Amino acid sequence: MRILLLGGIGEAIELARALTPLHAVSYSVAGKGRTPVLPCPVRVGGFGGAEGLAAFLRGNDFELLIDATHPYAAQISRNAAQAAQLADVPLWAYRRPAWRPEPDDDWRWVGDWADLMMVLQIFRRPFFTIGLEPLRHMAAIPPDQHWLVRCLTAVPPSCPRLTLLCATGPFPLEQELALLRHYRIDVLVAKNSGGGAVEAKLAAARQQRISVIMLQRPTLPAASREFTDIWSMVTALPPE
Ligand code: NAP
């Protein structure tokens, strides 16, 4: 079967490795992170929206589109749903299970930036791990707050009330605990990326009894079939 696999997360790489011996798989990434080395062709970069993706599906005779993208990469999932309809190709999706708080955790859920700013009012030293969005709002940091922002891209900060850390994970627990202590963090702002093990930063917040403000996941479109583990998807495919 000719399969286009939209990836960008660890499980998508596992899926590509598991399917390649049995099917003609092409793996696709946005190109913002590391490009994996895989036993199948890897395509890097966008398609030019849903129409571009549909044209790519038709032009290469793909018989199945798999969406195994990050839960917060909502645009590509929307494009995948639309493109699958336009190209008349079935869409299967891997939907990574979300992390859940433990009984003693203080997790507060917010839907958008405005919500987040409301909840953040009672805190003084937040640690943002949600990408570049906080940098767009640094002119509005309240005088009684200092923000620590960790992101992948090196951008020059220009605000005395903001400290920027450019770093690529994974980060070990000891390092996260030391960072929370060093910057006297009183709240962690995170995305609920989900996956096998809870990230070390959440485990560190739990150990130090620090509150977590969690950005809610975007709503994703329905697919013809949805899976919450990749092995169910592998076994659901016909072998040849
Ligand atoms: P997005 O907003 O869903 O996608 C933006 C555009 O990037 C898409 O419209 C598409 O361009 C291209 N694209 C995304 N994934 C692609 C793929 N697998 N193959 C080919 N093109 C792809 O996603 P994002 O801007 O990359 O990320 C949004 C959030 O998702 C991030 O802030 C982060 O929290 C999370 N995230 C994403 C990834 C990832 O690999 N994308 C990995 C980790 C975390 P065209 O419209 O031109 O086709």
Side-chain angles (χ1 to χ4, degrees):
M1 197 178 232
R2 292 182 58 76
I3 301 174
L4 178 61
L5 169 53
L6 302 173
I9 57 172
E11 297 94 311
I13 291 173
E14 271 186 82
L15 198 48
R17 292 204 170 110
L19 293 179
T20 299
L22 305 168
H23 301 280
V25 179
S26 288
Y27 184 85
S28 164
V29 278
K32 293 164 193 167
R34 295 187 197 105
T35 303
V37 177
L38 289 173
C40 62
V42 178
R43 185 188 179 281
V44 181
F47 296 93
E51 289 78 11
L53 178 52
F56 188 80
L57 288 168
R58 279 196 223 97
N60 293 280
D61 298 323
F62 284 108
E63 299 162 278
L64 175 66
L65 177 61
I66 297 180
D67 175 8
T69 58
H70 191 273
Y72 286 82
Q75 187 57 53
I76 189 67
S77 292
R78 284 195 288 269
N79 291 355
Q82 210 185 322
Q85 278 202 338
L86 290 171
D88 196 19
V89 167
L91 170 69
W92 287 16
Y94 165 66
R95 301 290 187 224
R96 194 192 241 183
W99 295 315
R100 302 203 182 283
E102 289 184 1
D104 286 342
D105 287 338
D106 173 22
W107 287 15
R108 302 163 190 219
W109 300 91
V110 293
D112 57 23
W113 186 262
D115 264 12
L116 169 55
M117 285 302 103
M118 290 286 290
V119 174
L120 201 62
Q121 277 175 10
I122 58 162
F123 298 98
R124 295 292 164 263
R125 299 188 66 90
F127 174 26
F128 288 89
T129 58
I130 54 170
L132 296 173
E133 176 81 12
L135 302 182
R136 289 192 268 278
H137 304 274
M138 64 185 164
I141 302 178
D144 59 351
Q145 286 185 0
H146 187 97
W147 293 6
L148 176 66
V149 177
R150 184 165 68 195
C151 56
L152 295 175
T153 323
V155 219
S158 59
C159 174
R161 290 196 295 280
L162 184 144
T163 301
L164 185 66
L165 294 179
C166 294
T168 310
F171 305 100
L173 178 61
E174 281 313 312
Q175 192 180 315
E176 298 293 57
L177 285 165
L179 187 141
L180 295 183
R181 281 192 293 262
H182 179 78
Y183 289 99
R184 292 179 285 119
I185 297 302
D186 61 1
V187 65
L188 169 69
V189 184
K191 287 180 178 171
N192 193 332
S193 297
V198 106
E199 276 180 340
K201 65 188 175 195
L202 290 167
R206 181 171 293 151
Q207 270 195 29
Q208 297 202 354
R209 299 190 172 275
I210 287 172
S211 305
V212 177
I213 302 178
M214 200 64 98
L215 269 191
Q216 268 158 16
R217 286 180 165 201
T219 306
L220 300 179
S224 334
R225 292 193 66 177
E226 298 193 0
F227 300 83
T228 52
D229 75 285
I230 58 158
W231 297 106
S232 309
M233 189 187 282
V234 172
T235 51
L237 277 165
E240 297 268 339

